[in-house]
Amino acid sequence: MNDRPRITLFDTTLRDGEQSPGCSMNVQEKVRLARQLERLGVDVIEAGFPIASDGDFEAVRAIAATVRRPIIAGLARACRPDIARAWQALQAAERPRIHVFLATSDIHLKCKLRISREQCLAQAREAVAYARSLCADVQFSPEDATRTDIPFLCEVVEAVIAAGATTVNIPDTVGYSMPEEYGQLIRALREKVSGIEDVTISTHCHNDLGLAVANSLSGVQNGARQVECTINGIGERAGNASLEEIAMTMRVRADRYPYETGIASEQIFASSQMLAEITGVPVQPNKAITGRNAFAHEAGIHQDGVLKNPLTYEIMTPQSVGVPDSRLVLGKHSGRHALALRCEQLGHKFDRRELDEIYRKFVVLADRIKRVHDNDLIGLIRETTNGIGEIPVSSMQKIGPHSAAIEGFALAAAAAASEGGPRSSQPAHQGPATALFPERRGEQEDYLWGV
Ligand SMILES: [Zn+2]
């Protein structure tokens, strides 16, 4: 047993990630990705924002009904209709969570919500109390927390804890914070807010200055025990903290970040590939951990070093994050097991019947072209699954542009391999809890999307 603190990984690929341009997904695609996130070992899946659209509602409902192990969260603004709708979508969940958010920075209060701090405080308190009356697991996010006056932020956090919040998430909504500054904010909350020791503090950092992962890690070092993140770091604008970078940093540099996560790291590459395939948005080639060049060594001196000993230039093995072993070439003598394994590495898990069909076609193809590369295999999967429905046609139509990226990855890996050898406290505000808590959807309609 080790006594390293366990960090809860809260994946918001299906909510914050899905908000990014070009990354929208349909219900079937979201369910498929949620299943992969479960295999990957995330602790919480934020499945969507149920009141935002019927499609979002349906996606949260379907995921809540099919994905059993992780907590399933639904997002809601701090108003009764949103919270009720989120709760409705979560009915079938084994472990439901309602995630309520409300902006707290002066600029958001004045320019967006047009409410006073007192009104904000009362609305947050009332919303959390209502959510808690429905669900035992309630998360609250003070949107734009990092640009909120710290004494006021402490006041809000203390109020929502008293109202029943079990997790308090501190969003750097606009990606403005610096690592030390963000860590200090988490520390300040721990020092000043009464009751904070009874809840989980969470980070939610955006990458506008490229600091989302660094900020999240700084938050953890200062006491946060949940990190919100996305596969491939997708999300609003420049994206969110990348799940794979957080998880692998904690693994590779456990000396500096001695924390545990539940991530099965060998599922990282398949998760990344599945997301890219579903959205049609390729992974940036030099993306840490999941980019096609992340383990490619081109410079001669590097290749020479890696061939002599991978540790000369590799701080982790490609296999540890599930990058296909490029030495395993699929051909007509490959068995069903090897085929199933490579399919899984590319983000496709099939049942027996489906695998039978793919295998039949694979043998015919292998007989004809001798070596079956990843892009050939993806074409085969596409052709087969269109008929049996594992992957919706709509997503497969998007595969075109990305298959080139997958092929590129395979080529880069093959090139490296062909060189031979192994690689391997402020008092709570006591103002009146007035009718600020909107009863009807529409009163604060103009601020969809948050945190
Ligand atoms: Zn966000």
Side-chain angles (χ1 to χ4, degrees):
M1 278 298 289
N2 67 62
D3 50 4
R4 293 191 285 184
R6 175 71 155 75
I7 304 300
T8 295
L9 285 189
F10 177 116
D11 181 279
T12 185
T13 304
L14 295 169
R15 202 279 300 167
D16 207 322
E18 206 241 359
Q19 286 174 217
S20 52
C23 287
S24 58
M25 298 172 233
N26 66 30
V27 174
Q28 270 180 296
E29 291 165 340
K30 286 185 182 178
V31 170
R32 184 173 159 231
L33 191 61
R35 287 204 180 109
Q36 177 60 29
L37 292 172
E38 184 177 32
R39 283 194 284 276
L40 176 62
V42 307
D43 301 290
V44 186
I45 294 174
E46 185 161 58
F49 191 174
I51 207 159
S53 71
D54 289 344
D56 248 45
F57 177 87
E58 188 48 39
V60 176
R61 199 201 55 73
I63 290 167
T66 46
V67 178
R68 309 315 292 167
R69 188 195 49 76
I71 292 169
I72 307 298
L75 186 67
R77 288 169 299 183
C79 61
R80 196 172 283 264
D82 278 42
I83 294 166
R85 188 79 171 145
W87 182 235
Q88 197 185 349
L90 291 168
Q91 281 309 294
E94 186 87 33
R95 301 164 72 198
R97 173 180 296 185
I98 299 176
H99 179 192
V100 178
F101 75 96
L102 180 64
T104 50
S105 65
D106 285 336
I107 186 170
H108 278 234
L109 294 187
K110 278 185 193 134
C111 303
K112 188 179 78 170
L113 303 179
R114 298 193 178 87
I115 58 174
S116 67
R117 284 188 180 184
E118 288 69 31
Q119 288 171 316
C120 169
L121 189 61
Q123 187 177 333
R125 186 190 286 126
E126 201 167 339
V128 168
Y130 175 56
R132 188 58 201 265
S133 74
L134 304 172
C135 182
D137 187 344
V138 174
Q139 172 169 323
F140 178 78
S141 291
E143 187 190 356
D144 204 18
T146 52
R147 293 193 301 171
T148 300
D149 172 56
I150 294 179
F152 180 62
L153 181 66
C154 290
E155 212 175 330
V156 172
V157 169
E158 196 162 293
V160 297
I161 292 172
T166 46
T167 297
V168 175
N169 179 46
I170 305 300
D172 184 26
T173 305
V174 292
Y176 180 70
S177 213
M178 296 291 113
E180 208 177 273
E181 186 183 19
Y182 188 77
Q184 281 165 357
L185 178 61
I186 301 295
R187 181 168 291 273
L189 289 164
R190 285 179 66 208
E191 285 167 358
K192 292 175 181 159
V193 173
S194 77
I196 195 105
E197 63 282 358
D198 300 326
V199 303
T200 301
I201 305 175
S202 169
T203 67
H204 179 106
C205 298
H206 276 274
N207 207 32
D208 297 71
L209 292 171
L211 293 168
V213 168
N215 286 343
S216 306
L217 292 169
S218 176
V220 168
Q221 285 187 307
N222 285 280
R225 288 294 175 265
Q226 174 178 287
V227 174
E228 298 201 359
C229 46
T230 60
I231 303 294
N232 294 339
I234 69 167
E236 287 272 23
R237 308 183 310 279
N240 289 64
S242 139
L243 180 146
E244 58 275 10
E245 294 173 25
I246 300 276
M248 290 314 289
T249 296
M250 288 178 182
R251 186 151 312 180
V252 173
R253 294 307 307 270
D255 56 327
R256 303 291 298 215
Y257 298 97
Y259 308 100
E260 285 290 315
T261 71
I263 293 300
S265 65
E266 63 283 1
Q267 288 290 332
I268 284 176
F269 184 71
S271 308
S272 166
Q273 289 288 297
M274 183 187 287
L275 175 65
E277 181 217 306
I278 287 175
T279 59
V281 177
V283 185
Q284 144 196 358
N286 61 319
K287 168 77 179 64
I289 319 289
T290 55
R292 71 168 185 259
N293 292 343
F295 296 95
H297 303 279
E298 183 161 336
I301 193 165
H302 288 210
Q303 287 180 344
D304 183 54
V306 168
L307 294 176
K308 285 175 176 148
N309 181 343
L311 291 178
T312 51
Y313 286 101
E314 279 182 2
I315 59 170
M316 59 195 147
T317 65
Q319 290 78 15
S320 68
V321 296
V323 169
D325 185 344
S326 50
R327 289 167 295 170
L328 179 73
V329 175
L330 289 177
K332 65 177 176 181
H333 301 297
S334 302
R336 295 159 52 94
H337 181 70
L339 179 69
L341 182 68
R342 180 59 62 94
C343 288
E344 265 182 54
Q345 288 168 332
L346 293 170
H348 297 271
K349 199 169 169 65
F350 296 115
D351 64 25
R352 228 187 127 86
R353 187 180 58 84
E354 292 162 341
L355 191 62
D356 277 348
E357 189 170 343
I358 289 169
Y359 187 65
R360 267 198 304 276
K361 290 183 178 170
F362 166 78
V363 172
V364 173
L365 180 67
D367 211 25
R368 190 156 51 83
I369 67 172
K370 309 302 175 208
R371 285 188 166 203
V372 180
H373 294 287
D374 288 348
N375 55 317
D376 301 317
L377 187 54
I378 285 167
L380 199 86
I381 291 169
R382 173 174 45 188
E383 187 189 310
T384 309
T385 52
N386 273 345
I388 56 183
E390 156 79 6
I391 302 158
V393 173
S394 61
S395 75
M396 296 312 300
Q397 284 166 343
K398 297 182 212 153
I399 195 172
H402 189 62
S403 59
I406 295 172
E407 183 178 8
F409 188 98
L411 290 175
S418 69
E419 300 298 321
R423 291 194 328 124
S424 62
S425 145
Q426 290 267 328
H429 180 78
Q430 296 301 313
T434 57
L436 294 160
F437 185 48
E439 287 296 329
R440 290 192 321 279
R441 181 179 182 204
E443 288 174 30
Q444 293 182 354
E445 194 74 355
D446 54 337
Y447 66 99
L448 259 183
W449 306 130
V451 204

